[in-house]
Amino acid sequence: MTSLVRHVTFDCSDAYALAGFWAAALDGTVADDDFPGDPEALVTSAGAALLFVTVPDAKAAKNRVHLDLQPQDRTRDEEVERLLGLGATVLGDHRRPDGAGWVTMADPEGNEFCVERSAAERKA
């Protein structure tokens, strides 16, 4: 058997705080044994496991890898509004008049991710 991706790891300045954002964004959970001030925090969700590791270096450039989120129970636009309420910011709006496209966002520490249309919107 080949290797499997165990989790996607993010360097960050506050592992527990950023894990909290992503747990809320993905309807996941922060591991029971992770607490504020811990150097690592693990988020598990239906779609992925994300590991956050506190490092002393600040983010200096655009991510070379990013997550593409697809809402499961709401539209892309509703999901963008929900994520804004959690502390994300919009970096680029690539929505088109025909309803296609995506929104590039950043989490509270500046890590880029995209929000695509839901499966229902793709069928419409």
Side-chain angles (χ1 to χ4, degrees), residues 73-102:
D73 60 352
R74 60 184 56 95
T75 67
R76 174 198 53 215
D77 296 346
E78 291 168 337
E79 182 67 350
V80 166
E81 290 304 314
R82 186 180 77 87
L83 294 166
L84 287 169
L86 293 175
T89 56
V90 172
L91 298 178
D93 192 334
H94 308 282
R95 291 176 278 198
R96 298 192 297 253
D98 68 357
W102 67 95

